[in-house]
Amino acid sequence: MPKHLPKLNTLRAFEATARHLSFTRAARELNLTQTAISHQIKELETLVGAQLLDRSTNRVALTDTGMHYLRKIKPALVMIGTASDEISNLRRSRLHIACLSSFASRCLVPELQDFRRRHPEIEIRLTPVVGVDRIQEHDFDVCIGYGMNTMPDLAVHLFPPDDIFPVCSPALLAAGRLNTLQDLTRHTILRSVSPLVDDDWATWMSYTCPEPLAFKDEISFSGLCLPVEAAMAGIGICMGRSWIIQKELASGALVIPFDKKVRLSVSYFLGYRKDLAEVPKIRHFKQWALGKFGRRPPGA
């Protein structure tokens, strides 16, 4: 056991003050007085034999030693908090959901209040994840991923796959010049381009266009949601996925200019560890999620 083992409350006081760079905010967060925070940090500085905070000006600042010490202790504080949380009674009723960010914002969050109404005893913690391969980096009770599951201990339930099709604003469609597939070349094409998301235009055209189309004007976005926003703003035409744009289709914010849809071969999925399938909070969420998302989205 190390000789210089500080009290946990002195570490928490130092970490909170260093994060906020304010005794006042740290005291408010920890429900203590500023004087108590100051005393705890002085106790810590005496124990380690170094000045951690610079109090020479009106603003609190970390010394170089304080910055180094913060980097060293912060992972340990996070680990202690996580370990304590996992075995606490509260953990039994807290459901941690790791969900792809696009599905979380477009599908899950708008429906989540219904689950909370049905199960008020379950506390929700939702972590949005960018990239399906990053889900396994998170601690979760249930996850919503996409495509191929690479976690062998995961039980998986597939949601219906997306249909993809061009969409645009009603104003753009009403302006005309969008009667045939060839007319797409007259408009700005909005693409989803990133290492994590495939652009759907090539897939859709391979099934629907007798000849390749050469677009004259394009804008590329990272992710699935920004092209949808740009299409609603009348900037151009994006390739919609039925799960992602169901709200916009239902409200009329987006319309479908061509009755030509292509069904993707991959889909979103609900996952949870096989050995935890009968844990009540997981079972309740599985039943609810499959009821909400187990059917094809409207407009698909």
Side-chain angles (χ1 to χ4, degrees):
M1 181 69 67
K3 294 171 60 177
H4 301 292
L5 190 61
K7 298 176 183 176
L8 183 58
N9 59 351
T10 64
L11 294 176
R12 292 181 66 210
F14 168 65
E15 188 278 332
T17 304
R19 177 160 35 86
H20 293 295
L21 293 179
S22 166
F23 287 110
T24 303
R25 293 178 182 175
R28 188 180 300 125
E29 177 182 317
L30 299 178
N31 198 26
L32 296 171
T33 65
Q34 294 183 50
T35 301
I37 292 287
S38 180
H39 285 328
Q40 289 179 359
I41 293 176
K42 287 180 180 178
E43 179 182 339
L44 180 61
E45 289 176 326
T46 300
L47 179 69
V48 300
Q51 184 179 353
L52 303 175
L53 295 175
D54 183 358
R55 306 169 179 84
S56 61
T57 63
N58 292 331
R59 297 183 61 187
V60 177
L62 282 165
T63 64
D64 290 342
T65 301
M67 180 67 73
H68 176 76
Y69 190 60
L70 179 65
R71 291 195 189 104
K72 290 291 186 180
I73 68 167
K74 195 158 188 176
L77 291 174
V78 172
M79 289 177 64
I80 291 170
T82 301
S84 301
D85 186 52
E86 286 179 352
I87 64 172
S88 69
N89 290 332
L90 181 60
R91 176 68 175 176
R92 297 175 186 171
S93 61
R94 177 182 295 166
L95 183 72
H96 187 177
I97 308 167
C99 182
L100 290 179
S101 56
S102 56
F103 194 93
S105 63
R106 292 278 168 172
C107 303
L108 180 58
V109 169
E111 299 288 350
L112 203 53
Q113 188 62 10
D114 179 63
F115 178 78
R116 297 182 70 245
R117 180 180 60 80
R118 294 170 185 265
H119 299 283
E121 77 284 1
I122 299 177
E123 179 185 345
I124 298 295
R125 179 181 176 186
L126 176 59
T127 299
V129 181
V130 179
V132 67
D133 57 328
R134 304 294 298 274
I135 287 180
Q136 56 192 328
E137 298 176 9
H138 296 268
D139 174 35
F140 61 82
D141 297 308
V142 295
C143 69
I144 296 179
Y146 185 80
M148 181 178 297
N149 167 42
T150 59
M151 293 173 274
D153 63 338
L154 212 63
V156 166
H157 299 270
L158 298 178
F159 297 159
D162 274 308
D163 287 343
I164 57 173
F165 40 86
V167 291
C168 63
S169 69
L172 189 149
L173 183 62
R177 300 175 58 201
L178 195 55
N179 301 309
T180 69
L181 296 182
Q182 188 63 37
D183 290 336
L184 287 168
T185 61
R186 303 171 180 263
H187 294 271
T188 300
I189 298 302
L190 310 172
R191 293 186 181 273
S192 297
V193 180
S194 79
L196 303 175
V197 179
D198 290 332
D199 178 59
D200 291 325
W201 277 100
T203 300
W204 182 81
M205 287 191 296
S206 69
Y207 283 93
T208 59
C209 299
E211 299 179 0
L213 298 177
F215 300 125
K216 298 180 178 64
D217 186 28
E218 301 182 1
I219 303 177
S220 297
F221 299 86
S222 179
L224 293 173
C225 295
L226 287 177
V228 175
E229 298 293 332
M232 287 193 293
I235 295 174
I237 304 169
C238 83
M239 188 58 59
R241 292 190 177 194
S242 50
W243 277 115
I244 301 301
I245 62 169
Q246 52 182 305
K247 180 180 69 174
E248 289 74 17
L249 291 178
S251 68
L254 289 175
V255 294
I256 306 172
F258 306 109
D259 188 22
K260 292 181 179 292
K261 300 178 181 179
V262 173
R263 185 151 296 170
L264 297 178
S265 60
V266 294
S267 63
Y268 291 98
F269 63 80
L270 171 71
Y272 50 85
R273 276 176 42 188
K274 296 174 182 177
D275 58 333
L276 300 180
E278 294 306 313
V279 173
K281 61 183 179 182
I282 294 176
R283 188 177 71 250
H284 291 323
F285 186 80
K286 179 190 75 172
Q287 294 170 346
W288 176 83
L290 292 180
K292 284 289 182 182
F293 309 119
R295 300 183 297 273
R296 192 162 301 284

